[in-house]
Amino acid sequence: MAEAATVRRSRITPEREAELYGAVLDLLREVGYDALTMDAVASRTRSSKATLYRQWGGKAELVAKAIRHQKTSAGDVDTGSLRGDFHAMVTREDDCQMEQNSALMRGLAMALHGNPDLLQAFRELIIDPETEELRAVLRRAVQRGEIRPDNPAQDYVLHMLIGAFAVRGIIDQRPPTREFLASYVDAVILPALGA
């Protein structure tokens, strides 16, 4: 049976997978996580629910993978300097994408607290990989002598980045932008790291 499932999984092309993930994100923006159903995803994507469950197991995994799919990896960033790496990371999306993603993440924040399956999928597929990618960026900075290896701020960089991204709309009533995040990196994160 496992072999049959593997064969079935391979039928979804990368293009079809991207299309499905795009539809999931659109539905999330329209109705939110709690109102999102596998029936709605199946209808929107002209898929069967059985295919969706076979491929992704459930709503939590599908949503987390859809969000992960849209993100570019920080591990691919290596400009030769910590400042360059951070600037490349925070400017890889345009302002319109950032505004959409900020609204999406605000909507998911409450769902994460009330849905253990979503929180687990989010940790495994988004938080843990992004934490490791950020650690790789920081390790390179340590190796280049840009930051001290024992600087305690290293443990809080992801918190700082997420915080700036998430609360700009609340504090300033404006979405995060490339310019805002780049200036935040220069004014807050790099000084905290002693760089």
Side-chain angles (χ1 to χ4, degrees), residues 24-177:
V24 168
L25 295 176
D26 289 344
L27 279 166
L28 271 173
R29 288 182 185 103
E30 292 168 24
V31 303
Y33 181 80
D34 291 329
L36 178 76
T37 64
M38 293 299 262
D39 283 325
V41 174
S43 176
R44 176 75 58 102
T45 61
R46 291 183 223 102
S47 304
S48 74
K49 273 192 350 181
T51 298
L52 295 174
Y53 279 107
R54 190 169 44 248
Q55 185 73 24
W56 288 281
K59 179 170 81 165
E61 183 179 341
L62 177 57
V63 166
K65 283 189 175 177
I67 292 169
R68 181 68 185 171
H69 182 263
Q70 76 169 354
K71 293 179 162 291
T72 52
S73 172
D76 297 340
V77 173
D78 187 358
T79 65
S81 76
L82 183 60
R83 182 177 188 271
D85 289 352
F86 277 134
H87 278 253
M89 288 165 48
V90 300
T91 61
R92 59 188 165 195
E93 295 177 341
D94 65 35
D95 289 348
C96 182
Q97 287 173 306
M98 271 194 252
E99 185 172 359
Q100 289 177 343
N101 291 337
S102 176
L104 181 65
M105 295 313 292
R106 280 193 312 273
L108 277 174
M110 291 304 292
L112 285 166
H113 290 286
N115 295 279
D117 291 345
L118 178 62
L119 181 58
Q120 180 180 345
F122 218 76
R123 286 200 64 73
E124 290 174 5
L125 297 167
I126 299 169
I127 296 169
D128 291 347
E130 287 192 10
T131 299
E132 186 49 44
E133 291 168 1
L134 186 56
R135 284 183 181 141
V137 168
L138 294 170
R139 276 193 301 269
R140 287 194 304 268
V142 167
Q143 291 167 353
R144 289 189 299 257
E146 294 177 277
I147 59 176
R148 289 186 352 257
D150 61 344
N151 184 304
Q154 290 185 67
D155 294 335
Y156 302 102
V157 173
L158 187 58
H159 300 82
M160 289 186 276
L161 285 169
I162 291 172
F165 182 83
V167 300
R168 175 101 196 270
I170 296 167
I171 295 172
D172 298 331
Q173 297 179 343
R174 297 170 58 192
T177 62

